[in-house]
Structure formats: structure tokens, C-alpha cells
Amino acid sequence: MKNVNRKLSSLILYGTVEKIEDDTAQVRISDNVLSPPLPWAALAGNLKTWAAPSIGEQVAILCPDGDINTGYITARLYSDKNASPSIDPNEYIIAFPDGTLLKYNADKHILTGECHGETQFKFPQGLTIEGNISIKGDIKTSGKIEATDVTASGISLKTHKHPVSGSSTGTPV
């Protein structure tokens, strides 16, 4: 009976990540106990993610049969050191250590990204954007820009006319 109680009390353990090595983490379960290297749960099927636990992050460990040697990190818990980036149930957030943020508000239907460094996207097959685009800042390209018409200060490149001694020219050809 004593062994059964010990196994039951060791099915779920809580601790703080102390060491990361490749795809395992060692967790300090109490002041004197350091776990063996443990894998952590992740999306690992057709959709995969990689987000290693952080040193100091609080975690929950599931230990089948109450044996830490067969355990794995099942949950990562918010704490004073690693607080939740939001308390809004309509927000889905990925917050990176440098402050870069990717946030979707399902109630307002707004996807927001804020990057604290350079942002690069590669679309070898091209990219199509449907809708209006507003850009605050300069645009640089190493390729050509094609458009049906270009308007600058209210003047159409396609339909503008130039005054010529008392009359005006036709539209550009």
C-alpha cells in the first residue's frame, strides 16, 4: 500500500526548469531533486512547433506509474517570473523574448504583428494580397513595379495631360 501511495503522489510533479539540452530539459522538483533529462510535449504530427522551455519556467511533469524516469513535461505554467502576455480570452498571442509579438484578436478579427528586428518573408511562388494596403514609410525594390495606374498628389500617370501653349496634350500613350 505504501508503494501505491508513493506512485500516486508521483504521477504529477511540479518544478522549475534548470537546464536545457537539445530536446530535453532537466527540472528541479524540490530543493534537492533534479530530474533526469525529460522530453516536453509539443505539436509533432503534420503540424510541428519548436519552443523549448525557458530556464526558470515552471512546468508540470506527468510520470506514468509514478516513475520520473518515464516522465515528460506536459504543461508550462505562468508565474511571477513568466507572466501571461494577456488575460483577454479572445486573444491568441505568441510573445518572443525580445518583445516581438504576434497577436490575433478573434472578437475584433485583427491580426497584429510587432517585430523588434528586421522582418523577412520569402514567397518563391509569389504572394497575392487582396484588399487595400496602407504603408507608413519608404518602399524599396530591386525589381519592377507594375500597376494599372499610378496616382501622385491626385494626378494620374495614365490620364494626366500637359499644358501646351493655350491647349493641352493628349493622355500618355
Side-chain angles (χ1 to χ4, degrees):
M1 190 65 167
K2 200 182 236 184
N3 192 32
V4 170
N5 287 339
R6 182 195 58 76
K7 283 186 174 190
L8 283 175
S9 68
S10 297
L11 281 175
I12 300 174
L13 301 172
Y14 298 93
T16 304
V17 175
E18 190 160 299
K19 184 178 180 186
I20 304 288
E21 253 184 52
D22 299 323
D23 61 351
T24 62
Q26 285 187 288
V27 178
R28 178 137 333 257
I29 297 165
S30 65
D31 291 336
N32 301 320
V33 179
L34 188 63
S35 75
L38 301 170
W40 56 84
L43 295 176
N46 288 339
L47 174 64
K48 295 172 178 53
T49 60
W50 172 259
S54 302
I55 303 295
E57 185 174 8
Q58 291 182 348
V59 296
I61 305 164
L62 180 62
C63 304
D65 293 325
D67 182 1
I68 187 69
N69 293 304
T70 61
Y72 60 96
I73 297 169
T74 59
R76 295 151 84 170
L77 310 169
Y78 294 120
S79 65
D80 290 342
K81 183 177 178 184
N82 291 298
S84 168
S86 176
I87 57 170
D88 184 340
N90 293 305
E91 288 186 333
Y92 299 87
I93 298 174
I94 300 173
F96 297 91
D98 69 349
T100 295
L101 210 62
L102 185 59
K103 178 171 37 173
Y104 179 68
N105 186 303
D107 188 46
K108 297 176 182 173
H109 309 286
I110 297 174
L111 176 65
T112 306
E114 184 178 323
C115 183
H116 288 254
E118 184 176 329
T119 304
Q120 296 182 2
F121 293 100
K122 294 183 181 182
F123 301 101
Q125 301 300 313
L127 170 67
T128 300
I129 299 173
E130 187 174 320
N132 296 328
I133 298 174
S134 176
I135 298 173
K136 296 179 182 178
D138 297 336
I139 297 175
K140 295 178 184 178
T141 180
S142 61
K144 62 182 179 178
I145 297 175
E146 294 182 23
T148 305
D149 193 8
V150 176
T151 303
S153 298
I155 300 171
S156 165
L157 180 64
K158 190 174 179 179
T159 62
H160 75 280
K161 297 178 181 181
H162 296 268
V164 177
S165 30
S167 65
S168 62
T169 64
T171 59
V173 201

